[in-house]
Amino acid sequence: RRHIQDRILTLACPRCSQAFDSFDGCFALTCSKQGCGCAFCAYCLADCGSNAHAHVAHCELNPSKGLFASADNFEQVQRDRRRQLILAYLEGKPSRDEVVAACETSLKEAGIWPL
């Protein structure tokens, strides 16, 4: 349950794990934590070094191949990405049903219920 909530449902910098919750339309993000400076992709959350623009334009999760999109697009991409990561994480786990039940409220809040 903790892995799902901390590592999948919480959007965070891939380098320092600083959580973020704002999106301004550009999918090339830079971590706001002082001293980190990680540039990363808002689609797949890949660490792109110091500049994420080239990666974003070619990211497999980017349907338009542009750098900008709406907040609704961002939310939909993140719902789909999170669902895929959760299903992959749960695959083959004998406690799958208990973990899903324990995360039900969080999954509903994230808009990915039912799985």
Side-chain angles (χ1 to χ4, degrees):
R1 171 179 176 231
R2 198 118 173 112
H3 175 82
I4 290 173
Q5 290 179 327
D6 293 347
R7 298 292 182 175
I8 298 176
L9 295 179
T10 301
L11 297 176
C13 170
R15 191 178 299 166
C16 74
S17 300
Q18 171 72 34
F20 72 94
D21 62 0
S22 62
F23 175 73
D24 66 3
C26 181
F27 276 77
L29 303 178
T30 302
C31 182
S32 62
K33 185 175 181 180
Q34 188 163 359
C36 180
C38 176
F40 59 100
C41 176
Y43 283 108
C44 68
L45 303 183
D47 184 333
C48 301
S50 61
N51 188 331
H53 293 89
H55 172 88
V56 168
H58 300 289
C59 180
E60 66 183 32
L61 298 181
N62 182 348
S64 71
K65 302 306 178 197
L67 296 176
F68 294 89
S70 69
D72 288 341
N73 180 263
F74 173 77
E75 292 298 329
Q76 183 59 52
V77 167
Q78 289 307 316
R79 279 191 297 273
D80 294 344
R81 185 189 69 81
R82 289 167 168 158
R83 180 178 283 114
Q84 289 173 352
L85 289 172
I86 291 168
L87 291 173
Y89 175 74
L90 292 172
E91 183 143 351
K93 290 211 180 315
S95 60
R96 180 191 192 284
D97 292 339
E98 292 103 36
V99 172
V100 170
C103 294
E104 182 177 349
T105 300
S106 297
L107 295 172
K108 285 179 178 178
E109 289 171 358
I112 52 176
W113 184 265
L115 281 177

